[in-house]
């Protein structure tokens, strides 16, 4: 199963993306900022990352 890490600081966006991806057969992991996402990506690398750009802590540009 393809694993996707979604990163967004807006809970509603995380929820919406998570529901859409899960209903299409993807395994989803969520993070609320770039710092948490980077930690998750290092500990258990996903197949793909979908990230917001403007976030506190570490933005999407720095995450990439």
């Amino acid at each position: 199963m393809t694993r996707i890490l979604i990163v967004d600081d807006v809970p509603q966006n995380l929820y919406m993306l998570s529901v859409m991806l899960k209903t299409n057969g993807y395994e989803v992991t969520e993070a609320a900022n770039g710092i948490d996402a980077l930690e998750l990506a290092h500990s258990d690398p996903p197949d793909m990352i979908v990230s917001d750009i403007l976030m506190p802590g570490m933005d999407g540009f720095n995450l990439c």
Side-chain angles (χ1 to χ4, degrees):
M1 180 181 293
T2 303
R3 293 180 309 115
I4 300 177
L5 171 59
I6 55 176
V7 190
D8 201 313
D9 60 324
V10 178
Q12 295 88 345
N13 293 347
L14 281 176
Y15 175 77
M16 196 168 36
L17 277 169
S18 181
V19 168
M20 288 181 1
L21 292 168
K22 286 178 181 178
T23 57
N24 283 289
Y26 296 99
E27 182 181 329
V28 176
T29 306
E30 301 175 6
N33 60 57
I35 296 168
D36 294 341
L38 190 58
E39 196 172 292
L40 286 169
H42 277 292
S43 66
D44 190 18
D47 297 304
M48 181 186 307
I49 298 174
V50 177
S51 179
D52 184 18
I53 298 298
L54 300 174
M55 297 180 290
M58 178 189 291
D59 62 25
F61 290 117
N62 287 323
L63 173 61
C64 289

